[in-house]
Amino acid sequence: KIAFSGCKNHPCGLTSMHDLGLIAKKAVVDGEEKEGFEMYVGGGLGAVPFLAKLFDEFVLPEELLPLSQAIARVYARLGEKQNRNKARIKFLIQKLGIDEFRRLVKEERTTLENDPGWTEWLSNVESYEEKGRGPVTQSETVDLGDAIADFEQWKESNVYQQRQAGYVSVTLALPLGDLTGQQMRDLAAIVRTFTPDAARTTVEQNIMLRWIHEADLPALYLALKEIKLHEAGAQSIIDITACPGTDTCKLGISSSRGLAGELRQRLAEKEWQYDVSLRDIRIKASGCFNSCSQHTVAEIGFYGASRVVGQRRVPHFHLVLGGEWDNNAAQYGKGVGVIPSKRVPDVVEFLIDTYLKERQDGEKFPAFVNRVGRKDIRDRLKPFMDIPDYETNKEFYRDWADSREYSIGDIGIGECAGEVVTLTDFGVAKAESIYFDATLLLDEEPMNGNVKAAADKALEAMLKAAQGLLKVCNIDISDDPAVVVQEFRTNFYDTQLFFDPFAKGKFASYLFKAYDSRDGDITLDRAREIIEESRLFIEAAHECNARMLQAGITSPAGFKKWMIDREMQTV
């Protein structure tokens, strides 16, 4: 994935989260000012996010293709071939280190024979330049009638001045990124009328129209209003990005679209989209941990999860705070806790109210989160994490925009099942607490001094989650890490009981890898990776526990019966 950005301080190309990111800049080369790019490599979101690393401070346009080819060749030669989940440049750079990766690429570049195609395209660059045209309305006066106030709000939030005098770009806010077929046809006619065919989709699930003449804005607004694409609030706190989630995606755990729709409605009722102090806050919701909505770079991000309460599934969302959308997504957010889905809107309102009351002059939301600290924020949010029992409030056991009960169904309860399930739940819950402590270690100063301790704590969290699952086999399972790892491998990995329906043994491998490398040197990047993998392992442990409950594996006797049935099926 490759991204180009025209500037460094804005979220133009989001270069920090791409395999190859290029930011336009000028530099003096041999006494002459030239145009080129700052080059970054190895970024990516997904389940384990990595910020791209600086590869070269200045690359001339004629070197873009040969350098990219050298990067691709090094990756093709040394990148992961067996495990598809690790087949990304970010993992190769994490393994080699950016200095060694840079050395290999530079060395590879010297071996490439000159190709005229590397520079032939440069002479054609100017042909891609766009030009505006005169106003469509000419000297006509457009009567906005009683829509004047709404027009001014729309103009304030959705219209942006271009570099070219007299022209603006207009963002069409699409709730949940949706358009009807008729709206598409009508919009195509509007684009042809008011622009030189200059429309594009945006990363925030909107549509941007470029080269709109300022004199045409009233007429354009009325045309958009006619097809119901005139809503204000584009790129504001109510302009929430959501992936398909449980609506259509087989990996979806929680209803990200349902949550986004509810949040948009509640925040719009407060008219927060017009609050200048909240203009830079983005909210993004993913149905699972795979970052499809880019929740990692949102100031307030969510991704789907589930928990078992009283033998029923309850939809939840992980809360991620402090991501930075500006500066090309220069900072990723960090986890704070897991919130019941039906309490998420209350949490968002609480966070925004707290920010408005306690922020310092000019302090943006990510800086506020860093100053207050995630531990303090988590403590304040604990009342929102409580879940009423099923009979008290059944709504907590349904997801947003879904009337069906979010449940694992009826299960059989064997002898001592209550105690064993409690021990398993307790172990996995304790693992979450240990994981959070690991993340806090990297928040402390000096951060680098806590790298090894953070990695060890993340491994401890995985071991605690694995031990919690093993309680279903042996209530008296040892605390010895070697025993836990071996027993987990035998009872949960070799039997595939821990396997995710889609990722298979991926999450279990995180525990094995972290344990096997526990005595080795730990870099800051590796510590961050182990912490992220610990989070995913714990989430997989929750899902495994839910599957066991559904299958009636709630005691040593139930586990033994499952093993016998499994062996009989393989005969």
Side-chain angles (χ1 to χ4, degrees):
K1 299 177 182 178
I2 301 173
F4 283 84
S5 182
C7 59
K8 192 168 186 175
N9 300 329
H10 299 286
C12 305
L14 302 172
T15 52
S16 294
M17 64 185 207
H18 285 79
D19 296 283
L20 180 61
L22 298 138
I23 302 175
K25 66 181 295 186
K26 293 181 179 180
V28 176
V29 179
D30 297 329
E32 181 182 353
E33 185 179 70
K34 294 189 176 183
E35 295 178 342
F37 297 89
E38 196 170 81
M39 178 181 279
Y40 291 81
V41 293
L45 297 182
V48 182
F50 283 83
L51 283 168
K53 296 185 178 300
L54 179 64
F55 180 86
D56 200 318
E57 291 186 353
F58 188 73
V59 176
L60 291 168
E62 52 265 33
E63 273 297 301
L64 287 180
L65 288 180
L67 260 184
S68 299
Q69 185 176 341
I71 289 171
R73 287 166 68 99
V74 169
Y75 172 67
R77 186 168 66 247
L78 301 177
E80 179 61 45
K81 302 296 193 302
Q82 303 300 320
N83 185 354
R84 181 182 177 185
N85 296 314
K86 292 284 186 178
R88 290 287 299 275
I89 290 178
K90 63 182 183 180
F91 292 113
L92 178 61
I93 293 175
Q94 190 275 328
K95 177 182 177 181
L96 297 176
I98 185 60
D99 292 334
E100 175 63 9
F101 181 79
R102 185 186 294 112
R103 185 191 70 79
L104 291 170
V105 171
K106 297 285 188 179
E107 184 179 89
E108 186 71 25
R109 169 67 183 93
T110 63
T111 68
L112 299 179
E113 295 183 7
N114 184 60
D115 184 345
W118 289 344
T119 56
E120 285 178 347
W121 60 278
L122 290 172
S123 61
N124 197 40
V125 168
E126 292 185 1
S127 67
Y128 291 95
E129 290 186 4
E130 298 175 341
K131 294 182 180 179
R133 59 191 189 191
V136 175
T137 52
Q138 298 296 338
S139 59
E140 301 172 23
T141 300
V142 177
D143 183 11
L144 288 167
D146 57 4
I148 292 178
D150 291 340
F151 168 74
E152 291 299 331
Q153 286 184 332
W154 171 82
K155 187 177 178 181
E156 175 67 24
S157 62
N158 294 40
V159 178
Y160 315 90
Q161 292 290 331
Q162 290 188 188
R163 298 177 67 177
Q164 298 81 8
Y167 291 96
V168 296
S169 292
V170 175
T171 299
L172 310 186
L174 307 180
L176 300 180
D178 289 344
L179 277 171
T180 67
Q182 188 59 52
Q183 282 178 317
M184 291 182 186
R185 295 183 181 91
D186 294 339
L187 180 58
I190 290 173
V191 170
R192 285 192 290 267
T193 299
F194 290 95
T195 82
D197 278 344
R200 64 170 56 184
T201 57
T202 76
V203 72
E204 294 182 280
Q205 299 176 334
N206 292 323
I207 291 178
M208 176 172 281
L209 309 183
R210 294 166 293 155
W211 294 102
I212 302 293
H213 199 286
E214 285 188 280
D216 289 332
L217 281 174
L220 172 65
Y221 176 77
L222 291 179
L224 293 173
K225 184 178 180 181
E226 188 70 23
I227 62 173
K228 295 181 172 58
L229 290 179
H230 64 299
E231 284 196 37
Q235 299 183 30
S236 73
I237 194 170
I238 72 165
D239 193 7
I240 300 166
T241 306
C243 73
T246 52
D247 282 14
T248 56
C249 180
K250 65 181 181 180
L251 297 179
I253 300 171
S254 301
S255 177
S256 46
R257 279 173 56 85
L259 173 63
E262 179 69 18
L263 283 173
R264 181 182 180 88
Q265 179 179 332
R266 287 181 57 164
L267 301 184
E269 288 173 357
K270 291 178 172 287
E271 297 190 342
W272 276 349
Q273 66 269 38
Y274 306 122
D275 191 325
V276 176
S277 60
L278 303 179
R279 189 66 192 270
D280 293 327
I281 295 180
R282 300 291 202 281
I283 300 177
K284 300 180 184 294
S286 298
C288 73
F289 48 75
N290 276 315
S291 299
C292 294
S293 76
Q294 301 171 346
H295 62 261
T296 310
V297 294
E299 282 76 12
I300 301 176
F302 297 96
Y303 67 91
S306 73
R307 294 292 182 265
V308 175
V309 178
Q311 300 176 6
R312 296 179 186 272
R313 278 187 185 263
V314 179
H316 280 65
F317 280 91
H318 279 269
L319 171 62
V320 179
L321 292 180
E324 185 177 349
W325 189 246
D326 284 339
N327 299 308
N328 280 290
Q331 177 177 299
Y332 291 169
K334 296 179 181 179
V336 174
V338 188
I339 311 294
S341 184
K342 289 301 175 74
R343 283 234 163 98
V344 169
D346 297 330
V347 165
V348 171
E349 291 182 358
F350 175 81
L351 288 170
I352 298 303
D353 283 334
T354 303
Y355 168 66
L356 291 174
K357 292 175 184 175
E358 300 182 12
R359 69 191 179 102
Q360 298 177 350
D361 290 343
E363 186 176 45
K364 292 191 175 183
F365 190 80
F368 167 78
V369 170
N370 291 334
R371 177 174 60 81
V372 174
R374 289 183 298 121
K375 185 179 185 302
D376 184 88
I377 293 174
R378 180 186 173 96
D379 289 342
R380 299 194 205 187
L381 293 178
K382 282 183 178 178
F384 296 99
M385 299 179 184
D386 295 334
I387 304 168
D389 62 64
Y390 180 74
E391 296 303 327
T392 301
N393 192 337
K394 296 180 181 179
E395 282 302 308
F396 276 75
Y397 298 78
R398 298 186 178 95
D399 213 342
W400 293 107
D402 194 338
S403 60
R404 298 170 298 174
E405 186 173 305
Y406 190 93
S407 172
I408 63 173
D410 296 332
I411 62 171
I413 302 176
E415 185 178 353
C416 298
E419 180 184 3
V420 174
V421 170
T422 300
L423 290 173
T424 299
D425 289 341
F426 177 80
V428 180
K430 179 62 177 176
E432 286 188 333
S433 177
I434 297 171
Y435 155 77
F436 187 69
D437 290 342
T439 68
L440 292 180
L441 284 170
L442 291 188
D443 287 348
E444 296 176 0
E445 296 294 343
M447 180 174 62
N448 290 349
N450 294 314
V451 166
K452 176 62 173 169
D456 290 344
K457 186 66 72 173
L459 172 58
E460 180 187 343
M462 285 191 273
L463 289 168
K464 180 59 69 174
Q467 185 188 43
L469 291 175
L470 285 165
K471 295 285 186 181
V472 81
C473 312
N474 178 7
I475 294 176
D476 299 316
I477 182 68
S478 170
D479 290 328
D480 185 340
V483 174
V484 171
V485 170
Q486 183 55 52
E487 289 296 306
F488 180 80
R489 184 185 293 276
T490 299
N491 293 294
F492 282 85
Y493 186 80
D494 292 345
T495 63
Q496 300 187 8
L497 183 57
F498 191 76
F499 277 30
D500 180 85
F502 303 103
K504 305 304 179 186
K506 169 183 176 180
F507 303 125
S509 69
Y510 294 158
L511 169 63
F512 303 144
K513 181 175 65 173
Y515 180 74
D516 290 342
S517 62
R518 65 192 182 282
D519 295 325
D521 294 333
I522 299 293
T523 64
L524 177 59
D525 281 345
R526 177 57 185 147
R528 286 172 172 162
E529 183 181 24
I530 294 175
I531 287 173
E532 289 302 311
E533 290 176 346
S534 174
R535 169 180 61 84
L536 295 170
F537 181 88
I538 293 168
E539 198 60 38
H542 276 292
E543 288 301 306
C544 179
N545 186 33
R547 292 195 300 271
M548 289 195 299
L549 286 171
Q550 192 170 17
I553 308 172
T554 58
S555 67
F559 181 81
K560 185 176 181 180
K561 180 180 182 300
W562 178 81
M563 287 286 286
I564 293 172
D565 291 344
R566 178 176 175 274
E567 291 174 2
M568 292 294 292
Q569 292 173 3
T570 60
V571 174

